[in-house]
Amino acid sequence: MTLKDTCTYIAAAAGLASGVLWVVASRVGVENPRDPPVEGPTADGAITVRSGRHHLLLSPTLRLQSIWNSRAAIAAAVAAIAQAVSVLLP
């Protein structure tokens, strides 16, 4: 296997990983522990939003999504770099 082939496989794997990580980022959320959950802002400063049947705390959910999005972006960058190296190799 040549270096060009290796870079192509790395690009494909990293591209697939970034797609999976972005799907995870779109699906994660931090459930509101209150029973029953209250939508909107509360006295303690928390903001609860409804996503389907789930009541999610806004700030922790955004923080968690940001973590998964950054992982996906790193994987996408690895895919782009590996693909660029693969194209530039003779």
Side-chain angles (χ1 to χ4, degrees), residues 5-41:
D5 292 336
T6 302
C7 287
T8 301
Y9 286 121
I10 290 171
L16 180 63
S18 70
V20 169
L21 290 168
W22 267 313
V23 168
V24 170
S26 73
R27 306 291 301 163
V28 296
V30 177
E31 288 279 341
N32 187 340
R34 295 174 190 249
D35 189 31
V38 177
E39 285 187 53

Side-chain angles (χ1 to χ4, degrees), residues 46-78:
I47 299 173
T48 301
V49 294
R50 194 169 80 193
S51 176
R53 292 179 286 153
H54 303 281
H55 289 82
L56 305 175
L57 293 172
L58 183 62
S59 183
T61 294
L62 293 176
R63 190 174 305 117
L64 188 58
Q65 287 176 341
S66 177
I67 291 167
W68 283 99
N69 279 321
S70 66
R71 292 173 182 167
I74 290 168
V78 168

